[in-house]
Amino acid sequence: MESFKKGTSDLHELRVVSSLNEEKDFFLGNTLIGDCQDQLDFIWEKKKKTKALITFAITKTGEAISIPKSPFGGFWIVDSLSSASLESFIFAVVEDLRHRGVKSITLSQAPKPYEPHTDLINYLLGKCGFDQAKVLSHHFFIGKKKIKKQTQKESSKIQSNRKNADIKVSHSSISNFGFLKYIKSWNTQKGYEVTLDENRIVQQVSEYPNRYFLITLSKNGQAIGYSLSVKLTGNSLYYFLSAINPQIPVKNGGDLILNELFQLAVEQKVEFVDLGSSDLDEEVNHKLMFFKSRFSNDISNKITWVKTIKNV
């Protein structure tokens, strides 16, 4: 499926294709959403050169979502683009979705370390009639050399303070998915609400095995903590789905897991580590934010935008 529409800014054109036909660094844009009737890339081009893009899954009920069940989606700027042209791109996408019978649009714009133009994108989305529905604050550690320096510093501190030789931490690729039930169980025991789509995780790991890593905290050879991390983009490492067995408390267990995450980041030669958001339902999780602040040097918001389309 492919279609072209003339843009309104500097001879740009909107090209719409199946999202599975376009290769992307943000690999979740290529993952098929099973319960949607269409999954499309909206590509802003000038002289056949891609300037910007966004991926939408369109549900059978007429919702366009970028990208369902992913940490974020939103607009990606591939090449230099003026604010006027970017605004025209947003309008062109909305009009195309309107003609497809879409009733509402939802997108979570990637935080700034992923997309340097995010502040401008968020500004223009507000001006183009999108409403801010949700804000999540992500902690980041940015800088390849700084990540390496942080790892050396924490490793030295951990080694000097380590008294329990029976505690070990390691990382590996994923060979089985038994750890998922433990993460779910341990977080449930702590009273956390767990929304875990195991089938989707299995599918993604199976399709992109080199993007996913499992960090394991063990005591006397028995796993007592896990964390899953993923290279959402080639230059980043995203930390999520972490849990430690509440029945076997370990001093500084979280520090050990995060230090291993940074070791992995050094190995993967990434530019930044995304420690994710810290919300607890609708409240700020200050305790978790303080913990992550010790392993971060930047904070960036992820804003979810919604727009109702009125057919005229």
Side-chain angles (χ1 to χ4, degrees):
M1 176 184 182
E2 184 167 337
S3 63
F4 286 87
K5 287 191 178 181
K6 204 71 174 180
T8 58
S9 174
D10 301 329
L11 301 179
H12 283 82
E13 290 182 324
L14 177 65
R15 180 163 66 100
V16 184
V17 299
S18 168
S19 65
L20 304 183
N21 294 340
E22 299 288 325
E23 207 166 309
K24 309 180 189 71
D25 183 40
F26 181 56
F27 76 97
L28 292 179
N30 291 96
T31 302
L32 181 64
I33 310 298
D35 56 352
C36 293
Q37 62 180 10
D38 278 313
Q39 191 165 318
L40 305 171
D41 284 337
F42 293 77
I43 305 170
W44 198 231
E45 293 184 341
K46 184 177 182 181
K47 297 180 180 179
K48 305 297 183 181
K49 187 175 182 180
T50 298
K51 293 292 186 175
L53 60 89
I54 186 169
T55 300
F56 279 103
I58 301 176
T59 70
K60 296 175 182 178
T61 56
E63 299 172 278
I65 307 171
S66 174
I67 301 170
K69 302 178 182 178
S70 297
F72 50 78
F75 288 87
W76 298 93
I77 309 300
V78 178
D79 199 5
S80 59
L81 198 63
S82 70
S83 58
S85 183
L86 179 55
E87 182 182 51
S88 294
F89 179 34
I90 295 172
F91 280 131
V93 169
V94 172
E95 281 305 304
D96 187 278
L97 291 172
R98 185 197 309 276
H99 287 301
R100 295 175 188 272
V102 168
K103 301 173 183 176
S104 68
I105 303 172
T106 301
L107 67 94
S108 293
Q109 181 59 39
K112 194 170 183 178
Y114 292 98
E115 172 46 71
H117 301 87
T118 279
D119 286 347
L120 174 61
I121 293 168
N122 285 329
Y123 168 76
L124 291 175
L125 285 171
K127 292 297 185 180
C128 291
F130 284 76
D131 295 317
Q132 183 176 299
K134 188 175 184 180
V135 180
L136 291 177
S137 182
H138 282 228
H139 279 81
F140 291 88
F141 199 100
I142 301 174
K144 188 182 293 185
K145 291 183 179 179
K146 291 181 179 180
I147 291 172
K148 188 173 183 179
K149 188 175 181 180
Q150 171 75 3
T151 301
Q152 294 170 340
K153 172 186 171 184
E154 290 300 316
S155 294
S156 177
K157 185 192 302 183
I158 287 171
Q159 290 299 327
S160 63
N161 293 336
R162 178 172 284 183
K163 297 179 180 179
N164 298 321
D166 55 344
I167 301 294
K168 298 186 182 301
V169 63
S170 62
H171 63 265
S172 64
S173 56
I174 299 173
S175 56
N176 67 76
F177 298 90
F179 67 92
L180 289 173
K181 67 178 181 181
Y182 290 107
I183 288 179
K184 187 173 184 178
S185 173
W186 294 338
N187 278 324
T188 300
Q189 289 178 45
K190 290 182 178 180
Y192 300 151
E193 182 179 350
V194 182
T195 55
L196 184 60
D197 188 341
E198 295 186 28
N199 292 332
R200 182 163 166 78
I201 292 175
V202 171
Q203 176 194 350
Q204 290 172 358
V205 174
S206 300
E207 292 181 5
Y208 303 93
N210 296 329
R211 293 271 198 162
Y212 282 86
F213 306 89
L214 180 65
I215 297 173
T216 304
L217 180 68
S218 59
K219 182 174 183 179
N220 295 322
Q222 177 185 356
I224 60 170
Y226 290 112
S227 179
L228 192 59
S229 60
V230 57
K231 293 180 73 173
L232 292 174
T233 58
N235 66 339
S236 68
L237 194 62
Y238 177 61
Y239 162 86
F240 74 122
L241 283 184
S242 184
I244 297 176
N245 188 343
Q247 306 301 320
I248 308 177
V250 175
K251 187 176 181 180
N252 298 325
D255 291 41
L256 292 170
I257 288 177
L258 279 188
N259 183 63
E260 192 68 17
L261 176 74
F262 276 66
Q263 295 277 7
L264 174 60
V266 172
E267 288 180 18
Q268 293 296 312
K269 300 179 181 179
V270 300
E271 297 290 340
F272 62 90
V273 176
D274 180 359
L275 297 178
S277 63
S278 304
D279 283 47
L280 188 62
D281 296 324
E282 297 300 319
E283 299 177 2
V284 179
N285 191 336
H286 290 291
K287 184 177 180 181
L288 183 55
M289 289 190 76
F290 175 74
F291 171 72
K292 289 183 178 180
S293 70
R294 294 170 43 225
F295 293 87
S296 63
N297 59 10
D298 194 30
I299 296 178
S300 182
N301 289 340
K302 176 179 69 180
I303 301 177
T304 298
W305 297 91
V306 297
K307 181 178 178 63
T308 301
I309 299 181
K310 297 179 181 179
N311 292 314
V312 293

